[in-house]
Amino acid sequence: MSTLSEKLQTPVEDTARRARPPAPVLSVRDVRISDRAAGREIVHGVSFDLTPGRTVGIVGESGSGKTLTCRAALGILPAHFEVTGGSIELDGRDITGFSPAEWTSLRGSTISAVFQDPASYLNPSIRVGAQVAEVIRVKQKAGRRAARRRAVELLRAVHLRDPELVCGQYPYELSGGMLQRVLIAAAIAAGPRVLIADEATTALDVTVQAEILDLLADLRERTGLALVVVSHDLAVVAQLCDEVLVLRQGEVVEQGPTQEVLHHPRHEYTRLLIAEHEQYGLDRFLAPEEDA
Ligand SMILES: Nc1ncnc2c1ncn2[C@@H]1O[C@H](COP(=O)(O)OP(=O)(O)O)[C@@H](O)[C@H]1O
Ligand SMILES: [Mg+2]
């Protein structure tokens, strides 16, 4: 038996390196999604593994199938769409067999999401604190007062200044950035293991966008949350993601560690996306490349 002092001398990195890699909390295997009404396949095989505390980015222009991929993982595909190939595992369980009741209990508590346009997800005539508290009451089976207290804590956790005041405000009284923080608070209220941010910062101005991305990184570090970050903006992905998938017309044209893909893009389409972004200062987010 080693003494405590000996144990303390073992570098943490060493222990981590020897440990087995954690099991993926979300595992997407060659997923294909089809539009039954149109009789055509829209997403032609997407694969990635997401372990706790990691972030996968999905980038590609509008209409490339990013949102459909996310919706498949959330069990909320539009009416005539279905997964027609591959598999999705959430916490080691194949989602194919989930009943609507199982989905209801998993959404929020295992996998959760925030989208563009936060205002549309809030009731304009109910104070935001009450709306966040409602999520807590339903998902955590908490009583009214406990839910209310927890709502204030969550609004503080998403770095809203004066959360007590915000609780009593209506959505129209808050800025877009504040509303997105409220939505993130609601999305993490039940302690999900995966959070999908689908164009969550697209509608926000650049400064606020950067603040929200920092917030997501902070939540990931503090809670081991795994993130799927979807954006048509490479700079967003560069800032946050360990791995990136480049999607074009439902096809993954390139996939790999973010820095590698951005420094050494292999596909012409990725190069095009990078070229488009260079004028907006993508370099700011790229780590300087180490000399070989
Ligand atoms: N609700 C829907 N009804 C009909 N077609 C849809 C719907 N949602 C998505 N699609 C089709 O699937 C394609 C991919 O959509 P989506 O995943 O939303 O793209 P992205 O998020 O990358 O912009 C779109 O080009 C569109 O043709
Ligand atoms: Mg989309």
Side-chain angles (χ1 to χ4, degrees):
M1 270 257 302
S2 58
T3 65
L4 179 61
S5 70
E6 278 167 345
K7 277 185 191 156
L8 290 174
Q9 279 163 17
T10 310
V12 175
E13 298 92 317
D14 237 43
T15 321
R17 217 176 294 129
R18 257 185 278 120
R20 247 195 296 159
V25 59
L26 176 64
S27 184
V28 175
R29 278 287 141 272
D30 195 29
V31 161
R32 292 162 185 276
I33 302 167
S34 302
D35 180 348
R36 242 185 297 121
R40 67 191 179 106
E41 192 178 271
I42 308 274
V43 173
H44 316 293
V46 172
S47 303
F48 62 87
D49 274 327
L50 189 57
T51 50
R54 304 281 291 176
T55 304
V56 166
I58 306 178
V59 72
E61 64 201 351
S62 175
S64 55
K66 306 183 297 295
T67 295
L68 285 179
T69 303
C70 295
R71 292 181 69 142
L74 288 157
I76 50 169
L77 280 174
H80 46 89
F81 284 80
E82 62 183 346
V83 174
T84 44
S87 65
I88 302 176
E89 278 185 13
L90 196 53
D91 223 358
R93 294 170 66 205
D94 194 322
I95 68 164
T96 327
F98 289 166
S99 65
E102 278 175 297
W103 267 124
T104 304
S105 84
L106 283 169
R107 244 178 269 122
S109 62
T110 303
I111 189 164
S112 200
V114 278
F115 297 94
Q116 202 176 335
D117 192 16
S120 66
Y121 294 89
L122 291 164
N123 185 324
S125 57
I126 301 177
R127 296 172 199 271
V128 299
Q131 298 191 59
V132 175
E134 177 65 13
V135 175
I136 298 161
R137 278 191 338 112
V138 171
K139 289 284 169 189
Q140 309 273 72
K141 317 256 181 295
R144 219 167 265 281
R145 292 184 53 158
R148 176 77 190 189
R149 264 201 311 276
R150 179 88 182 106
V152 176
E153 282 169 22
L154 280 165
L155 293 182
R156 185 170 290 120
V158 295
H159 306 163
L160 278 163
R161 253 166 275 128
D162 206 347
E164 306 265 2
L165 176 75
V166 173
C167 264
Q169 291 184 301
Y170 291 96
Y172 73 85
E173 298 181 86
L174 306 181
S175 68
M178 292 171 87
L179 288 173
Q180 195 57 287
R181 286 172 198 273
V182 170
L183 263 290
I184 292 171
I188 62 168
R193 307 192 53 209
V194 181
L195 178 67
I196 295 178
D198 183 358
E199 303 279 8
T201 61
T202 298
L204 307 172
D205 72 51
V206 177
T207 317
V208 181
Q209 168 168 321
E211 286 169 12
I212 298 288
L213 296 176
D214 278 348
L215 167 63
L216 292 175
D218 175 58
L219 291 171
R220 176 184 61 187
E221 258 90 84
R222 275 193 294 139
T223 67
L225 193 63
L227 296 173
V228 179
V229 171
V230 173
S231 183
H232 65 280
D233 185 345
L234 266 180
V236 168
V237 163
Q239 189 178 341
L240 217 51
C241 301
D242 304 295
E243 183 187 353
V244 62
L245 283 73
V246 182
L247 210 55
R248 188 184 61 171
Q249 293 170 7
E251 201 99 48
V252 176
V253 297
E254 185 154 0
Q255 176 167 7
T258 308
Q259 293 294 330
E260 199 176 304
V261 169
L262 297 184
H263 278 298
H264 306 287
R266 269 179 282 170
H267 197 281
E268 183 195 344
Y269 178 66
T270 314
R271 282 189 213 120
L272 197 76
L273 286 180
I274 292 170
E276 274 174 13
H277 280 78
E278 258 153 14
Q279 54 186 313
Y280 304 118
L282 177 64
D283 332 349
R284 271 186 302 144
F285 299 107
L286 288 175
E289 209 178 5
E290 282 168 34
D291 293 329

